[in-house]
Amino acid sequence: MNSVQSALLIEDVRLTPLLVADPPLLNTQGVHQPYTPRLIVEVVTRGGVTGVGETYGDTAYLDLARTIAGALPGHPVSHVNGLAHLAEQVCGGSPTPDEGVDAAGLRGVRTADKLRLSVVSAFEVACLDTLGKAVGLPVHALLGGKVRDTVEYSAYLFHRWAEHPAGGERDDWGAALDPAGIVAQARRLAGEHGFGSFKLKGGVLEPDLEIAAVRALAEAFPGRPLRLDPNGAWSVDTALYVVGQLGGLLEYLEDPVSGTDRMAEVAARGGVPLATNMCVTTLPEIAGAFARAAVQVVLCDHHYWGGLHRTRELAAICRAHGVGLSMHSNTHLGISLAAMTHVAATVPELHHACDSHYPWQTEDVLTARHVFDGGRLTVSDAPGLGVELDRERLAALHRRWLDDDGTLRERDDAAAMRRADPDWVTPPVPRW
């Protein structure tokens, strides 16, 4: 082994769990907690180069990350294709479904495989960031090169409260619990960030109220792409009713019902493109969904799929089957947004603006926040991801995690809702 190869061996891995402020955004399961757990991964080479990655920070993810981190020293930072296999070897276990448990993202049935891939994604991004810095290339170049200089993002709209019922950081957004509130929210996001398309998180209010919100958006922003995502909260009949009411106003309807069977029925009868980040989140789920034309748009997410390379593989499969592609988002910081932007820049057929929660996140661990211009992010050509950790902010958000009694270290939207309504029970599916 020569000196260059030796310098690219992993010397150390650092894991820093955080609690990050999150607004009181509503979904069908409840409300976001005042703080959400995230995990920052740092990979350090023998040559002294450090790269960063990010993923979910709940205990199940953190435990897997600690096991994988212990196995990485001595491995070349460039061997990202072997990360998933290494993780499976050292973590053990089979992908046994845990019915009815959400994996911190309203993503359908939780399995050991999904958890493992979500953790692997952070290590893969950290390794690519490290390798890019070591050789002087941006991450998009390591993925084959960018095909666009900017990536478009969509405004993510939420029904929300003005503040958390107990604790948490305050903001100046106010409540949004009716069509007027949603339109006001959209106007502010468009004004501050230039977004040209809008996605409403549904499944919160009765369907007629959410229909009214979409109609109000269509009137306020004529001709702009609109999306509605009730996270599988509706029955087939309700989904078809909504489609009948909204007609051609929707760019696509995201996960109106739960499961491939119901999605296929709505797709066949509804006449509106259906998107998903719930019934297609792993490779084995693709064949049945595509064969039955259950989805017309897949919302990729490098956390779910195990990294940036696997996201590109998913994009190729979608292209081969004539299925559209966009990008899903969950509560994330700037490291994940940088990774999302790099991989999105390399995908030729990115048919729709990508989702991002980032405008809702007031805290970050970077020295400089990402800035949207006309709803777009410029793809960085700096080595690696093109971001730098703010060590002081990282330490402060980690101290918050250390000081927590464990209550907030697991994302639980239903538990957060019970702070306001002690009788709240996560609604059954379908909810309407």
Side-chain angles (χ1 to χ4, degrees):
M1 180 179 294
N2 60 39
S3 59
V4 173
Q5 292 172 322
S6 178
L8 291 177
L9 294 179
I10 296 172
E11 177 73 16
D12 189 23
V13 178
R14 295 194 288 262
L15 304 178
T16 309
L18 315 171
L19 283 176
V20 181
D22 209 6
L25 309 178
L26 298 164
N27 58 48
T28 192
Q29 291 195 337
V31 64
H32 288 206
Q33 296 179 144
Y35 302 96
T36 195
R38 298 298 287 178
L39 174 63
I40 305 303
V41 172
E42 296 178 76
V43 169
V44 186
T45 67
R46 291 182 182 176
V49 181
T50 301
V52 295
E54 174 194 344
T55 191
Y56 304 102
D58 307 66
T59 302
Y61 298 90
L62 181 56
D63 288 347
L64 288 174
R66 285 169 172 155
T67 302
I68 297 169
L72 279 178
H75 286 259
V77 75
S78 58
H79 286 192
V80 293
N81 285 342
L83 284 174
H85 180 64
L86 174 66
E88 188 172 354
Q89 282 186 313
V90 299
C91 294
S94 59
T96 303
D98 186 1
E99 296 289 348
V101 179
D102 171 58
L106 297 163
R107 61 187 288 189
V109 176
R110 177 178 180 171
T111 69
D113 189 43
K114 287 182 181 182
L115 289 172
R116 196 163 50 240
L117 287 174
S118 294
V119 176
V120 166
S121 71
F123 288 100
E124 190 232 37
V125 169
C127 285
L128 289 172
D129 185 35
T130 307
L131 181 61
K133 290 174 180 175
V135 302
L137 291 174
V139 165
H140 66 74
L142 301 180
L143 299 174
K146 62 183 179 180
V147 296
R148 58 183 60 85
D149 293 323
T150 64
V151 174
E152 184 181 6
Y153 286 87
S154 177
Y156 210 151
L157 311 177
F158 287 86
H159 295 100
R160 57 160 289 165
W161 296 332
E163 60 186 42
H164 287 284
E169 311 300 318
R170 295 191 174 190
D171 61 31
D172 62 353
W173 282 86
L177 296 169
D178 57 21
I182 293 297
V183 169
Q185 190 181 103
R187 290 191 188 282
R188 177 169 172 180
L189 286 168
E192 293 182 358
H193 304 288
F195 295 123
S197 60
F198 303 89
K199 170 179 169 176
L200 174 62
K201 176 66 74 178
V204 175
L205 306 180
E206 292 183 4
D208 280 330
L209 296 175
E210 295 183 348
I211 289 169
V214 172
R215 286 176 172 164
L217 287 168
E219 182 177 351
F221 301 94
R224 301 287 184 88
L226 304 177
R227 310 155 183 184
L228 178 58
D229 171 23
N231 280 122
W234 298 338
S235 68
V236 169
D237 287 343
T238 299
L240 293 172
Y241 168 73
V242 173
V243 169
Q245 294 295 307
L246 293 177
L249 295 181
L250 292 176
E251 178 185 18
Y252 59 67
L253 181 59
E254 180 181 340
D255 288 308
V257 292
S258 179
T260 297
D261 290 345
R262 295 186 185 93
M263 288 284 284
E265 185 174 355
V266 175
R269 298 170 56 190
V272 169
L274 300 188
T276 188
N277 73 281
M278 292 178 64
C279 70
V280 177
T281 58
T282 63
L283 288 173
E285 294 170 334
I286 290 176
F290 285 13
R292 301 186 61 188
V295 298
Q296 289 69 56
V297 181
V298 171
L299 304 182
C300 63
D301 186 319
H302 73 275
H303 305 92
Y304 290 9
W305 292 90
L308 308 188
H309 283 286
R310 288 198 171 199
T311 299
R312 284 180 45 79
E313 292 172 4
L314 170 65
I317 294 170
C318 289
R319 183 165 63 249
H321 287 267
V323 173
L325 189 76
S326 188
M327 188 170 289
H328 168 258
S329 164
N330 206 321
T331 304
H332 61 79
L333 299 174
I335 296 171
S336 281
L337 183 56
M340 292 162 62
T341 303
H342 275 273
V343 71
T346 70
V347 175
E349 288 85 17
L350 193 66
H351 302 87
H352 310 273
C354 302
D355 294 343
S356 177
H357 283 65
Y358 192 70
W360 290 111
Q361 309 313 134
T362 57
E363 299 179 330
D364 206 346
V365 293
L366 302 182
T367 55
R369 284 185 64 86
H370 296 284
V371 177
F372 296 94
D373 183 4
R376 294 176 173 272
L377 287 183
T378 299
V379 183
S380 172
D381 289 322
L385 291 173
V387 300
E388 182 180 351
L389 274 181
D390 183 327
R391 294 286 172 185
E392 184 175 340
R393 290 302 303 148
L394 183 73
L397 298 181
H398 179 54
R399 282 196 299 272
R400 184 185 286 158
W401 183 89
L402 291 172
D403 292 342
D404 179 62
D405 62 5
T407 303
L408 297 173
R409 293 184 184 181
E410 313 291 337
R411 175 170 168 176
D412 190 336
D413 294 355
M417 180 64 87
R418 284 192 290 272
R419 289 177 175 265
D421 179 2
D423 296 327
W424 174 264
V425 177
T426 302
V429 176
R431 184 175 180 182
W432 286 286

